[in-house]
Amino acid sequence: AYLHHTKPGYWVLSRLAACYAQMGRMEEAAAAAMQVLRVKPDFSVVKLRRAGWGTAESEHVRDGLRKAGLPD
């Protein structure tokens, strides 16, 4: 579904980067991470907040974001 957005924002791109990284698809994760930083140069893993996330889910997503190469 994420790939069908014509102009995805940083939130969609960051989740895509995290998903690719967690699946071991590191080239695609790095490419998505680069797009995140183009859209939002000040993106930060530690500043990312999402209402409704439990601790386990948020840590899993943050781990994927870091694996993708996004900055803390």
Side-chain angles (χ1 to χ4, degrees):
Y2 288 148
L3 297 176
H4 297 288
H5 284 270
T6 56
K7 202 168 188 184
Y10 80 92
W11 173 248
V12 170
L13 293 168
S14 66
R15 283 300 293 255
L16 188 59
C19 289
Y20 281 142
Q22 294 294 27
M23 293 187 303
R25 296 168 61 175
M26 300 313 290
E27 285 184 31
E28 291 153 303
M34 284 177 42
Q35 287 182 291
V36 170
L37 295 174
R38 266 196 294 264
V39 173
K40 186 167 178 65
D42 64 338
F43 181 88
S44 168
V45 173
V46 295
K47 291 180 185 175
L48 190 63
R49 300 277 185 266
R50 192 69 175 180
W53 277 5
T55 302
E57 182 181 0
S58 66
E59 284 308 311
H60 184 69
V61 172
R62 284 186 178 98
D63 181 55
L65 294 169
R66 289 181 181 107
K67 286 180 182 178
L70 287 163
D72 267 336

